Amino acid sequence: CAGLGGPRETVESDYGQLAGDKDISRLTFQVGKFAVHDIFDGNDYAEDSRADFLNWSIWAAGAFDYPADRVGLTYGITAELNQQRWAARVGYFLVGNEPNANVFDMNLFSRGGYVGELEMRYEPFGKKGVAKLGTWLTSTFAGSYNDAVAIAMATGASAADTIAQTRQGRTKYGFYINLQQDITDDLGAFARFSWNDGRSEINAFTDIDQSLSGGVQLKGTSWGRANDRIGLAAAWNTISPDHVRYLAAGGLGVLVGDGRLSYASENVVEAFYALQLFKGLTATADYQLLVNPAYNTDRGPVHVFSGRLHASF
């Protein structure tokens, strides 16, 4: 981190961040193995599946196919310029050598993921808000949905078997908009919209080509539990026409596909209650309603109940 002079601020200790007094105007560089989401697409009200929302299209921009291995990490380098009312950050990351891989493609810069984000900070009526616009491009070894379907139709095979025959160097790109807004001292709202071109295989995240999500999170101050939180959110997810034809022809994605498809958007509603048992230990109860899971009207609705226990020291 390199200070550029001017006013200073106190930065609290956090994951990937050292506490201290720092110049507000500063350059920060990070190199190593970490999650892209440590730097990009952050949101105070929906980003930590250990203690708030669980659904991938709610705690993240669903159509953001960010570089990662199977546990969500990659090697990369990032740079961030921070100012009083805005910040700009860019990064380059290694991608898998094929979709959903644990082996990274070492053809540096001819293959890889590029991410950029502009963050704007504002305070309407004295309440803090943040707007982020992110854009990304990955160059990966991936298959074409349309080409896989064409081979499947010509040979009578399943698109799940023909997709590998179409894999070559391809680019995938998209963008996301990420908003958060304090409404009161205890209540905050968030929303995300994300899109990708939907022509080639998902490399690392999940099978979504367009996603809209939003919700609220409330602290428990009014019922005497200021460190508890309750959240409610919903998401609407779709895939591209190319992607629809691929799944209908028997194709398989990272997480979806069952041999045929009666297509409709996938719709999600999620609620959670996070109970702080004592400082550093939180128990969370969560409920999700999944309508048309995996974009198939022949499936669901599904009710998912879960519980989590998270400790931090």
Side-chain angles (χ1 to χ4, degrees):
C1 182
L4 302 178
R8 296 174 67 82
E9 65 179 351
T10 299
V11 176
E12 301 297 331
S13 178
D14 200 355
Y15 178 75
Q17 176 176 283
L18 296 175
D21 290 331
K22 300 180 181 180
D23 292 348
I24 294 175
S25 179
R26 61 182 181 269
L27 276 170
T28 303
F29 299 93
Q30 184 166 322
V31 181
K33 189 175 186 180
F34 52 92
V36 172
H37 259 269
D38 291 347
I39 308 295
F40 299 93
D41 191 35
N43 190 298
D44 290 345
Y45 296 116
E47 69 171 353
D48 188 355
S49 58
R50 299 170 299 178
D52 56 50
F53 296 102
L54 271 177
N55 192 275
W56 289 14
S57 61
I58 293 177
W59 65 256
F64 179 17
D65 187 25
Y66 61 88
D69 61 13
R70 290 176 183 168
V71 296
L73 303 176
T74 185
Y75 293 92
I77 179 170
T78 66
E80 176 187 87
L81 173 61
N82 187 74
Q83 297 294 311
Q84 180 76 41
R85 292 295 183 182
W86 60 273
R89 47 190 72 97
V90 295
Y92 168 78
F93 303 92
L94 297 186
V95 296
N97 66 345
E98 63 180 9
N100 196 31
N102 264 336
V103 178
F104 292 108
D105 194 323
M106 298 306 295
N107 293 300
L108 299 181
F109 300 108
S110 63
R111 299 277 172 81
Y114 301 85
V115 186
E117 182 180 272
L118 176 64
E119 174 181 332
M120 304 299 294
R121 308 175 188 121
Y122 48 88
E123 294 189 21
F125 306 104
K127 298 300 181 183
K128 292 182 179 179
V130 177
K132 297 179 180 180
L133 172 62
T135 184
W136 57 274
L137 180 146
T138 56
S139 175
T140 62
F141 185 68
S144 161
Y145 295 138
N146 278 346
D147 290 352
V149 171
I151 297 173
M153 293 180 65
T155 62
S158 167
D161 298 323
T162 62
I163 189 72
Q165 301 174 43
T166 72
R167 286 177 181 158
Q168 62 184 50
R170 300 183 188 274
T171 59
K172 193 175 190 71
Y173 58 89
F175 72 91
Y176 60 85
I177 299 170
N178 179 332
L179 307 173
Q180 69 177 64
Q181 179 63 56
D182 293 352
I183 299 172
T184 69
D185 290 342
D186 295 321
L187 178 65
F190 70 93
R192 285 184 173 96
F193 176 79
S194 55
W195 174 92
N196 69 58
D197 64 293
R199 297 179 301 169
S200 57
E201 289 179 284
I202 298 292
N203 185 258
F205 190 45
T206 194
D207 305 86
I208 298 173
D209 297 323
Q210 183 171 281
S211 179
L212 176 66
S213 65
V216 294
Q217 193 176 132
L218 177 67
K219 294 180 182 177
T221 306
S222 61
W223 58 92
R225 299 283 307 176
N227 293 315
D228 290 1
R229 292 170 294 112
I230 187 170
L232 178 65
W236 171 75
N237 303 318
T238 66
I239 52 177
S240 69
D242 291 4
H243 204 162
V244 171
R245 288 190 290 270
Y246 170 70
L247 294 180
L252 299 176
V254 176
L255 296 174
V256 306
D258 58 4
R260 62 179 185 176
L261 184 67
S262 177
Y263 177 73
S265 64
E266 181 184 73
N267 308 307
V268 180
V269 176
E270 181 175 3
F272 75 85
Y273 188 96
L275 173 70
Q276 187 183 81
L277 301 176
F278 52 83
K279 186 176 181 180
L281 184 64
T282 301
T284 305
D286 189 277
Y287 165 72
Q288 295 183 67
L289 170 64
L290 310 177
V291 181
N292 307 323
Y295 311 104
N296 200 333
T297 60
D298 295 331
R299 303 287 179 259
V302 177
H303 303 272
V304 181
F305 298 88
S306 60
R308 287 161 283 166
L309 188 65
H310 174 62
S312 59
F313 304 96

